[in-house]
Amino acid sequence: MGSCGPQARQELLVLLSVWLWVGSTQSTPPAPTHGPGPQLKFRLAGYPRKHNEGRVEVFYNDEWGTICDDDFTLANAHVLCRHLGFVAATGWAHSAKYGKGVGRIWLDNVNCAGGEKSIGDCKHRGWGNSDCSHEEDAGVICKDERIPGFKDSNIIESEQSHVEEVRLRPVVAGGRRQLPVTEGIVEVRYKDGWAQICDEGWNSQNSRVVCGMMGFPAEKKVNRNFYKLFTERQQLNYRLHSVSCAGTEVHLSMCTFEFYQGNASAACGAGMPAVVSCMPGPLFATGSAHKKKQRQQLQGQPRIRLKGGAKVGEGRVEVLKNSEWGTICDDRWNLLSASVVCRELGFGSAKEALTGARMGQGTGPIHLNEVQCLGTEKSLWSCPFKNITQEDCKHTEDAAIRCNIPYMGYETLIRLSGGRSRFEGRVEVAVGAGDGEQPRWGLVCGEGWGTLEAMVACRQLGLGFANHGLQETWYWDASNVTEMVLSGVKCAGHEMALSHCRHHGPRLSCRNTGTRFAAGVICSETASDLLLHAPLVQETAYIEDRPLHMLYCAAEENCLSSSARLANWPYGHRRLLRFSSQIHNNGRADFRPKAGRHSWVWHECHRHYHSMDIFTHYDILTPNGTKVAEGHKASFCLEDTECEEDVAKRYECANFGEQGITVGCWDLYRHDIDCQWIDITDVKPGNYILQVVINPNFEVAESDFTNNAMKCNCKYDGHRIWVHSCHIGDALSEEANKRFEQYPGQLNNQIS
């Protein structure tokens, strides 16, 4: 072929570029839809939220709009967070978690790979083409790390037009050090500092909203004259005025207010900075006057509680009705109703109203449906609601909440070192951090350290639940902290900080003070929650007189009472109370034995492995609690016997398989297998309590240990046994429990 001249090459390039331009204007359906680059702007909106999270809003075609959550993925969130100036996303939110937007829904069925430069480069249905409502607005949670040199296009106006962060700045001497801060000048974040609010027209409803944000249930009167004298000597920077709240808002930004424009140095001539004083709830009260009020508030059992949450002030909402605890269905569940619950429990307003059993499924009745509070009610019971019918709701729709709680600074007094991730490591605690002194960091003695202590440490760290409490941490030897400063730590499991647990104080007592014996934790955002199906125990209980020659294996595994050793083997029999137990995992993580399969113990007699030494305790107690017979069940096989619809079995014991109980599944121990009994040979006729406790030694972490015990009344006449009134340990009111414990006994076998 002959070579082209320069002129011919130039003409060819012009033709090629024209052809490419024409081709690019003809869109093909499968290709990604490209949005015009320069017009796209992005911002985070919605409340309550932090600066790095929120509803995503896109500025396209001179109009702000939202993105639908259909097919939304973390890859989409990565692309959007980079648009917003953050390095990556850590999560995303569906169903208008940050509130419903207004205007257009610009994008739907967005499908990004994660590496795209623009959201317009991802596949989607086309700009403005959507079948969604604003109840499906997507949100993102971005990693709190800015892209270096990023210019924030998030602020479109030259002046900031919304309020995000609010704080109370204490000015009273001593008040600056003591936590929680209950009184001070209300300040809002502005640019790189803080600005004040003019108090002209400020009222108690405004104070109530601010107190709710700070984690307090109520406001109280404040000495305005004192603050007027103080602020006259201060240089002030006013930002907001004419604030007007209804008192039911969960964030100050939801109230009406106006901004001062330009130079605000001469603003608020007749007023002064807004000052608020809050009333702390019982958990956070300090001083004798508060404590006295706290005692008065705690008299009588509350009719509402939270279960299954990792942190204080969060959990599944349970209410007491007809002496029985039950849940609330999530139909119409919103922030107004959630805030009424939060304040009733002594916290602030609600951060989140959670639906779809996000804090695990409850058990027992579902008491309420379609709760619709106005937000002004003192108690949830004052709100309009519908009584439930069986067809209305399932426990998969249990409502939950997250409340604002006061900042206590507990997380600054604990840290982890040496772990592979931020969720694990050797525990280090700060001691002597008072009156401006620098804290001294030290280790916790691993002796006696277990799951309950680890639960408190993980809560204090803000890392959720404990997976494991470790007594040796030689493999995490990465810190220069070597001194033991805390020993004998014994927690109940509900404390907010390790310092609230019992411990030896300044006089340490630790046999092994080497760093390898320092306490450690592995934390997890979710945990399992086991509970026994009480009706099945009641339905299947019976007595069997079993010949001794059939009990050699059971004796080897300590499944008989101690007097069996003195029996005339192989002649005679033992009297056994048999029953089935069905153990459900209603939590948010699979229940796995603590020991890995390498350390499971083989039992030759029964020819199976034990993955936990003791999985359940079985006891017969007198009404005053004295144990008269006992049994135990090693977990020789933890597996998924059956599961709820749409849940697949994951654990099976056959062929040395993995052991555990999947969320939404249950493990059934039938009444006719070995050791599924209590040896009652030595028990005299009478009225007793049958008690079954799952995971009695807290070997495996759970989100809630209060529901691990099940109790039944039983009457034994020497020949037959009647078992009735079986219930989970925390299912009844305190009064009903007392009636159960003081049960006078059956005179016949007719149970009314």
Side-chain angles (χ1 to χ4, degrees):
M1 281 183 71
S3 62
C4 294
Q7 193 176 351
R9 265 202 307 272
Q10 206 168 357
E11 285 170 4
L12 188 63
L13 282 168
V14 168
L15 280 168
L16 187 62
S17 63
V18 168
W19 176 76
L20 281 170
W21 180 79
V22 171
S24 70
T25 62
Q26 296 172 15
S27 59
T28 52
T33 314
H34 290 262
Q39 289 102 323
L40 287 187
K41 291 175 184 171
F42 298 83
R43 70 183 181 191
L44 291 172
Y47 300 98
R49 65 180 184 89
K50 294 179 186 162
H51 65 285
N52 58 325
E53 63 177 329
R55 180 177 66 248
V56 181
E57 296 193 345
V58 190
F59 190 67
Y60 172 79
N61 214 10
D62 292 328
E63 196 178 340
W64 284 103
T66 62
I67 298 175
C68 181
D69 62 12
D70 290 353
D71 303 331
F72 208 87
T73 63
L74 191 61
N76 298 357
H78 281 310
V79 175
L80 287 163
C81 283
R82 286 199 296 274
H83 271 308
L84 292 156
F86 298 96
V87 293
T90 58
W92 60 277
H94 59 85
S95 308
K97 175 187 165 181
Y98 298 102
K100 292 187 282 193
V102 291
R104 299 289 294 271
I105 298 172
W106 276 127
L107 293 172
D108 189 8
N109 301 111
V110 180
N111 184 7
C112 302
E116 291 87 350
K117 289 263 190 297
S118 166
I119 198 76
D121 297 338
C122 304
K123 290 180 182 174
H124 54 77
R125 289 175 62 146
W127 290 89
N129 184 5
S130 161
D131 60 359
C132 301
S133 72
H134 279 295
E135 288 179 349
E136 298 166 85
D137 284 344
V140 292
I141 302 106
C142 302
K143 188 176 181 186
D144 194 3
E145 187 182 329
R146 283 287 190 186
I147 295 170
F150 182 83
K151 294 283 184 290
D152 195 353
S153 65
N154 204 11
I155 298 167
I156 307 303
E157 302 84 0
S158 58
E159 291 282 328
Q160 182 181 351
S161 65
H162 53 265
V163 174
E164 288 188 10
E165 275 186 84
V166 180
R167 73 172 186 185
L168 276 186
R169 179 164 64 89
V171 298
V172 182
R176 268 173 282 208
R177 282 196 302 273
Q178 196 175 9
L179 291 173
V181 174
T182 57
E183 183 174 307
I185 295 170
V186 185
E187 297 189 325
V188 295
R189 170 75 75 182
Y190 179 55
K191 294 182 179 172
D192 294 331
W194 294 89
Q196 293 76 43
I197 302 173
C198 180
D199 77 344
E200 287 174 354
W202 187 270
N203 60 26
S204 61
Q205 277 98 323
N206 299 355
S207 297
R208 179 178 164 82
V209 171
V210 172
C211 288
M213 288 175 68
M214 298 297 129
F216 303 112
E219 75 292 346
K220 60 180 184 178
K221 280 204 170 95
V222 67
N223 183 350
R224 195 168 170 272
N225 292 333
F226 166 80
Y227 283 92
K228 193 162 182 67
L229 286 169
F230 174 81
T231 53
E232 277 170 0
R233 301 192 297 273
Q234 303 284 310
Q235 190 174 356
L236 300 168
N237 174 23
Y238 287 104
R239 182 80 193 110
L240 266 65
H241 66 96
S242 307
V243 178
S244 177
C245 304
T248 57
E249 298 87 349
V250 296
H251 197 284
L252 195 64
S253 61
M254 299 169 87
C255 306
T256 61
F257 52 81
E258 290 179 33
F259 286 97
Y260 284 111
Q261 300 297 327
N263 182 10
S265 55
C268 200
M272 59 175 267
V275 177
V276 162
S277 184
C278 305
M279 189 89 78
L283 266 180
F284 304 96
T286 52
S288 54
H290 280 313
K291 295 280 186 206
K292 188 178 177 187
K293 197 164 177 67
Q294 176 183 338
R295 279 197 298 274
Q296 288 166 356
Q297 284 173 336
L298 291 175
Q299 278 171 357
Q301 190 185 14
R303 293 178 65 200
I304 194 157
R305 69 184 183 187
L306 299 182
K307 303 285 275 184
K311 298 174 186 167
V312 173
E314 68 174 33
R316 180 178 62 253
V317 182
E318 295 193 350
V319 291
L320 186 62
K321 189 178 178 190
N322 302 329
S323 298
E324 192 173 4
W325 287 100
T327 61
I328 296 176
C329 187
D330 63 12
D331 293 351
R332 299 204 178 190
W333 186 245
N334 62 18
L335 282 168
L336 287 174
S337 301
S339 288
V340 170
V341 174
C342 287
R343 290 182 191 269
E344 187 176 354
L345 290 167
F347 306 115
S349 49
K351 268 197 293 198
E352 289 182 81
L354 302 168
T355 57
R358 287 265 303 279
M359 292 285 178
Q361 293 184 35
T363 53
I366 301 170
H367 282 319
L368 310 179
N369 188 19
E370 294 195 23
V371 178
Q372 288 179 275
C373 301
L374 299 171
T376 52
E377 296 89 349
K378 286 271 189 289
S379 167
L380 186 77
W381 294 100
S382 308
C383 303
F385 60 82
K386 285 186 181 174
N387 287 319
I388 204 84
T389 63
Q390 204 58 46
E391 301 78 49
D392 284 341
C393 288
K394 298 187 179 74
H395 279 298
T396 51
E397 300 167 82
D398 283 343
I401 57 175
R402 284 198 179 102
C403 305
N404 287 313
I405 65 165
Y407 175 73
M408 301 299 291
Y410 294 137
E411 73 281 5
T412 62
L413 304 174
I414 188 169
R415 66 189 185 192
L416 299 182
S417 69
R420 296 161 298 179
S421 74
R422 69 189 187 93
F423 282 89
E424 65 177 33
R426 181 180 284 164
V427 177
E428 297 180 0
V429 293
V431 291
D435 296 327
E437 287 177 34
Q438 278 296 321
R440 186 171 100 255
W441 288 94
L443 306 175
V444 179
C445 177
E447 215 172 286
W449 181 267
T451 304
L452 295 178
E453 291 70 39
M455 280 177 78
V456 175
C458 291
R459 181 179 299 123
Q460 188 176 353
L461 286 156
L463 296 177
F465 301 101
N467 236 346
H468 295 295
L470 304 155
Q471 297 189 352
E472 284 190 39
T473 52
W474 49 269
Y475 38 81
W476 284 333
D477 215 357
S479 172
N480 57 3
V481 175
T482 56
E483 184 193 359
M484 291 271 179
V485 295
L486 206 58
S487 68
V489 180
K490 271 279 155 270
C491 303
H494 57 74
E495 296 90 345
M496 287 188 274
L498 285 177
S499 57
H500 298 171
C501 302
R502 286 185 296 139
H503 55 85
H504 288 151
R507 299 183 65 178
L508 298 187
S509 173
C510 189
R511 269 181 308 192
N512 300 305
T513 53
T515 54
R516 67 169 291 168
F517 298 105
V521 293
I522 300 174
C523 303
S524 169
E525 288 177 325
T526 55
S528 60
D529 185 19
L530 295 190
L531 45 94
L532 194 66
H533 185 56
L536 188 67
V537 175
Q538 191 165 309
E539 290 160 16
T540 57
Y542 64 95
I543 285 174
E544 180 195 8
D545 288 339
R546 194 162 181 80
L548 280 172
H549 68 82
M550 298 174 75
L551 291 170
Y552 279 104
C553 279
E556 189 184 292
E557 290 195 17
N558 292 320
C559 294
L560 302 173
S561 62
S562 53
S563 65
R565 290 195 214 105
L566 308 173
N568 186 22
W569 291 79
Y571 308 106
H573 67 268
R574 302 299 291 179
R575 177 157 287 186
L576 309 174
L577 168 59
R578 283 185 172 276
F579 51 87
S580 296
S581 62
Q582 186 173 298
I583 294 158
H584 291 245
N585 182 358
N586 277 17
R588 290 184 287 151
D590 294 355
F591 184 92
R592 300 294 311 279
K594 187 176 179 180
R597 64 167 81 193
H598 60 279
S599 56
W600 294 352
V601 180
W602 174 255
H603 281 251
E604 183 61 38
C605 198
H606 279 135
R607 301 199 63 75
H608 58 233
Y609 284 94
H610 283 194
S611 58
M612 287 173 71
D613 288 338
I614 294 178
F615 179 53
T616 44
H617 274 164
Y618 304 147
D619 298 311
I620 297 285
L621 312 170
T622 62
N624 69 5
T626 307
K627 199 181 289 186
V628 293
E630 62 183 73
H632 78 271
K633 186 79 180 162
S635 71
F636 57 76
C637 176
L638 276 174
E639 67 176 0
D640 298 326
T641 311
E642 291 292 334
C643 298
E644 292 169 7
E645 279 180 65
D646 307 325
V647 179
K649 295 180 186 179
R650 296 179 62 182
Y651 303 106
E652 195 174 6
C653 301
N655 304 318
F656 195 42
E658 286 291 350
Q659 293 194 24
I661 307 174
T662 306
V663 176
C665 298
W666 55 90
D667 190 6
L668 176 65
Y669 290 96
R670 284 173 52 93
H671 57 83
D672 53 2
I673 62 173
D674 250 12
C675 296
Q676 186 59 37
W677 63 56
I678 304 177
D679 182 351
I680 60 167
T681 309
D682 307 321
V683 175
K684 295 177 173 62
N687 293 293
Y688 297 100
I689 292 168
L690 163 63
Q691 179 176 277
V692 179
V693 184
I694 311 166
N695 193 15
N697 301 335
F698 314 116
E699 261 186 74
V700 178
E702 297 184 47
S703 59
D704 186 5
F705 287 113
T706 60
N707 57 10
N708 282 30
M710 186 227 62
K711 293 181 176 182
C712 307
N713 282 128
C714 54
K715 174 182 170 60
Y716 175 49
D717 67 0
H719 307 286
R720 294 162 298 173
I721 199 157
W722 292 276
V723 175
H724 61 98
S725 306
C726 294
H727 64 277
I728 299 298
D730 68 343
L732 304 180
S733 67
E734 285 173 9
E735 248 174 66
N737 263 327
K738 274 181 196 152
R739 285 199 300 273
F740 175 88
E741 304 286 350
Q742 293 161 3
Y743 173 68
Q746 292 291 114
L747 300 175
N748 55 43
N749 64 352
Q750 302 302 309
I751 297 162
S752 54

